[in-house]
Amino acid sequence: MGQSRSRPNSNTSDGVEKCRVALQRCPRGSPRDNSRHSTCLKNLADSLLTRFQQQGALSDLDEAIEHLGAILDLCPAGHSHRPKALHNLTSVLLIRFRQQGVLSDLDEIIQLQQAALELHPTPRHSQRSMALNNLAFSLQTRFQQQGNLSDIDQAIQFHREALELRPPGHPHRFMSLNNLALSHFNRFQQQSTPSDIDEAIRLNRVALDLCPPGHPHRCMALHSLASSLQVRFELGGDQSDSDESNVHRQAALLLRPRDHLSMGHPAPQTP
């Protein structure tokens, strides 16, 4: 959608057909056979994705998802390759959702991310904060699409837990602060609860403190804080909020040309 595509590449199409032949020669059966079958499925899915990226045919993307789903079916609970299979299928479903915006894809993404989170049940699991962030991001996206309050409530819960697992000095702490602030901002927009905009501003301030002059995220942090302060000014009429918002917005504009800054709140981030 809106992307330039390269000319059809015969080598890529030849690669897809070779992977199809290889898959036919590796049927399911014993655990060893299933391992080979999974490898052939993954090779075919990768080839189809490459061709999709070059030519943009959604049928290639759909077929790649079908094969990645078949791999997941071969990786039940407890299988050593299940985390990777969940990740691969989720990643490609995200591509299709961004292309087409079909909510059933987002629902499936959330189900897969919930399954991935269950593989990291305690804080001592190194990937738990990432799993929490990814699930919260998708719930936040679905809330923005459908407005279901349970989604944004859960997103806030998971973003907050991810933040607790990313103490000062963690490379993704700013991202978690920004995402949690945005979740509160989004909930305020629907419910108009003052405590949500207050919390968004508090988190935006902490995030800005992590972005001294020269930091690559300083413009985003300034803009986020300015947006939240302006909304609170419109709610309560405190002139100091408007004044501070203008200061931060002007500082953000000095860091980036005006046409590169949206007037809304920045989108949530994933690593």
Side-chain angles (χ1 to χ4, degrees), residues 133-134 137 140 159 166 172-179 182 217 220 266-271:
N133 180 78
N134 292 342
F137 179 92
Q140 198 167 344
H159 275 315
R166 294 169 171 181
H172 297 315
R173 184 168 175 80
F174 169 82
M175 180 191 68
S176 282
L177 286 163
N178 180 74
N179 289 345
L182 181 54
H217 294 319
M220 178 190 294
Q269 301 173 294
T270 54

Side-chain angles (χ1 to χ4, degrees), residues 213-227:
H215 193 284
H217 294 319
R218 183 168 176 81
C219 183
M220 178 190 294
L222 286 164
H223 183 55
S224 297
L225 179 54
S227 297

Side-chain angles (χ1 to χ4, degrees):
M1 296 178 64
Q3 298 179 15
S4 62
R5 301 292 182 183
S6 60
R7 295 178 182 176
N9 188 320
S10 60
N11 290 335
T12 302
S13 293
D14 288 346
V16 168
E17 295 312 312
K18 288 178 180 177
C19 288
R20 288 194 199 284
V21 172
L23 178 60
Q24 292 172 354
R25 294 174 177 171
C26 294
R28 295 177 59 167
S30 67
R32 185 174 182 181
D33 289 337
N34 287 346
S35 177
R36 290 173 176 168
H37 186 70
S38 292
T39 298
C40 291
L41 284 167
K42 182 63 166 59
N43 290 341
L44 178 53
D46 288 345
S47 296
L48 288 161
L49 281 171
T50 298
R51 191 166 70 180
F52 165 73
Q53 290 163 352
Q54 293 177 349
Q55 300 177 22
L58 287 172
S59 59
D60 283 339
L61 186 60
D62 294 341
E63 187 182 348
I65 289 170
E66 178 184 344
H67 296 317
L68 292 172
I71 294 172
L72 181 60
D73 290 341
L74 291 171
C75 301
H79 194 287
S80 61
H81 293 163
R82 184 168 175 80
K84 189 65 175 175
L86 285 165
H87 171 78
N88 290 338
L89 179 55
T90 302
S91 297
V92 183
L93 280 167
L94 274 167
I95 294 172
R96 189 167 71 180
F97 175 70
R98 289 166 181 161
Q99 287 276 325
Q100 298 181 292
V102 178
L103 286 175
S104 60
D105 278 341
L106 183 57
D107 292 340
E108 186 174 356
I109 288 164
I110 289 170
Q111 291 175 356
L112 293 167
Q113 289 173 330
Q114 288 169 334
L117 181 60
E118 291 171 1
L119 298 177
H120 309 288
T122 67
R124 62 187 177 84
H125 286 82
S126 61
Q127 296 300 309
R128 182 169 175 80
S129 68
M130 187 72 70
L132 285 162
N133 180 78
N134 292 342
L135 176 55
F137 179 92
S138 296
L139 288 164
Q140 198 167 344
T141 301
R142 190 167 69 180
F143 168 74
Q144 291 168 336
Q145 297 279 335
Q146 297 182 308
N148 190 329
L149 280 173
S150 65
D151 282 340
I152 196 64
D153 290 343
Q154 280 192 302
I156 288 172
Q157 174 189 338
F158 293 140
H159 275 315
R160 191 168 295 281
E161 187 177 344
L163 178 61
E164 291 171 356
L165 295 174
R166 294 169 171 181
H170 192 285
H172 297 315
R173 184 168 175 80
F174 169 82
M175 180 191 68
S176 282
L177 286 163
N178 180 74
N179 289 345
L180 180 55
L182 181 54
S183 293
H184 279 285
F185 186 92
N186 289 156
R187 190 167 69 179
F188 170 80
Q189 288 180 307
Q190 180 160 4
Q191 293 192 297
S192 300
T193 304
S195 60
D196 273 326
I197 196 64
D198 291 343
E199 180 65 359
I201 289 170
R202 186 189 72 79
L203 293 162
N204 287 148
R205 292 193 193 282
V206 177
L208 180 58
D209 287 342
L210 296 180
C211 302
H215 193 284
H217 294 319
R218 183 168 176 81
C219 183
M220 178 190 294
L222 286 164
H223 183 55
S224 297
L225 179 54
S227 297
S228 296
L229 285 163
Q230 182 62 27
V231 167
R232 190 167 70 178
F233 166 71
E234 293 167 1
L235 175 72
D238 187 335
Q239 187 60 41
S240 65
D241 281 342
S242 179
D243 293 343
E244 186 182 355
S245 175
N246 289 334
V247 169
H248 294 316
R249 194 177 296 278
Q250 288 300 316
L253 288 171
L254 291 174
L255 293 175
R256 189 178 296 182
R258 180 178 296 272
D259 59 353
H260 288 175
L261 269 179
S262 70
M263 294 306 293
H265 218 281
Q269 301 173 294
T270 54

